[in-house]
Amino acid sequence: MANEASTLPHAGRTRGLLPHALGTYWTILRICIEERLVYRGDFALGTLMRFLPIVTQTFLWTAVFAGAGNPMRIGDYTRNDFIAYYLLTYVARAFSSMPGLASYIATQVRTGEIKKYLIQPIDLLTFLLLSRIAHKLVYYAVATGPFALMFYVFRGYFTGWPDPLTLAAFALSLLMAFVLGFFLEATLGMIGFWFLEVSSILFVYMLFNFFFSGHMFPLTIMPGIWGQIMTAQPLQYLAYFPAAVFLGKVQGAALAYGLVIEALWILFFITTSRVGYKLGLRRYSGYGG
């Protein structure tokens, strides 16, 4: 990030066309994209390797249904629905996952490097949001081909494309999952202002995230009160909800209700992260050069 900050004077090139702040943030976004492309070989290899678990999960759920005597369905999901669901959660997680964001913020606080955001006219959260947008843009540019191949190979597990309204709701839920994932992890990162070491807290959060987001299985197959708890918490919008929307498991009033609740969770975590940052700066003290 130090290299990014050092190149900010190039923002002046765009000042004649754009407002000063907008030109600065456009320059940050462009530099972040260029930074990702510098290591494009390593980035592309790492992206492609992430597709390997899809094959193992397909074999896993096929074996689970076969071992259970080939039941027609578990809950309201058939075997094909399960595999299609897992493929879709992989897409949703590609939008909502923010690896290293919370730990980066906490490290910046602990090491004192956060002061560079205090002495420059750059907002920390906006800078990090632009960095993540750049990361996702490069990621999708690399991963679009493998994703298209994956869905073509596994097209037999899908019943077909959903109607345009459902497809639009699916796209909206993915974009909102990105925003929710960012501000949720940013909120966790602000804990670094009160605790010098947050790695154990983040480890616990990742465990809950993996389980409660629906990455492992559809949350609605959980019985009774556990199913109600699973579908009442915000982590479901990071993986379960977009996949369920695409498969038509959430429709009509329930779909509209789910999108509204997701938007409210986004507003909650934007507010919480902003308040946490403001209160954290009141506690922060920097010494030395």
Side-chain angles (χ1 to χ4, degrees), residues 4 7-15 18-31 120-123 126-127 130:
E4 297 167 3
T7 55
L8 287 180
H10 293 292
R13 297 174 182 173
T14 60
R15 286 173 186 169
L18 299 170
H20 177 75
L22 187 59
T24 299
Y25 288 125
W26 165 248
T27 302
I28 293 173
L29 178 62
R30 179 173 56 79
I31 292 173
Q120 297 177 0
I122 303 172
D123 174 65
T126 305
F127 178 86
L130 290 171

Side-chain angles (χ1 to χ4, degrees), residues 201-217:
I201 296 176
L202 296 180
F203 179 74
V204 173
Y205 163 73
M206 292 306 297
L207 287 178
F208 277 95
N209 187 328
F210 195 70
F211 190 72
F212 286 94
S213 68
H215 187 63
M216 288 295 293
F217 52 81

Side-chain angles (χ1 to χ4, degrees), residues 53-66 83 154 157:
I54 294 175
V55 178
T56 60
Q57 284 292 326
T58 302
F59 289 140
L60 170 65
W61 285 112
T62 300
V64 167
F65 274 84
I83 296 175
F154 294 105
Y157 295 108

Side-chain angles (χ1 to χ4, degrees), residues 64-91:
V64 167
F65 274 84
N70 282 315
M72 293 301 294
R73 59 179 61 243
I74 297 177
D76 56 346
Y77 284 79
T78 64
R79 187 202 66 166
N80 285 0
D81 286 343
F82 256 91
I83 296 175
Y85 171 84
Y86 182 77
L87 297 176
L88 290 166
T89 58
Y90 203 80
V91 176

Side-chain angles (χ1 to χ4, degrees), residues 13 15 35 51 64 81 95 117 132 164 166 174 176 184 187 189 192-193 217 243 251-252 254 258 262-264 285 287:
R13 297 174 182 173
R15 286 173 186 169
E35 182 192 43
F51 284 86
V64 167
D81 286 343
F95 275 81
Y117 297 102
R132 294 291 162 161
T166 302
L174 289 179
M176 293 171 73
L184 195 157
T187 299
F193 282 107
F217 52 81
Q251 295 180 324
E262 184 175 6
L264 291 177
S285 297
Y287 302 94

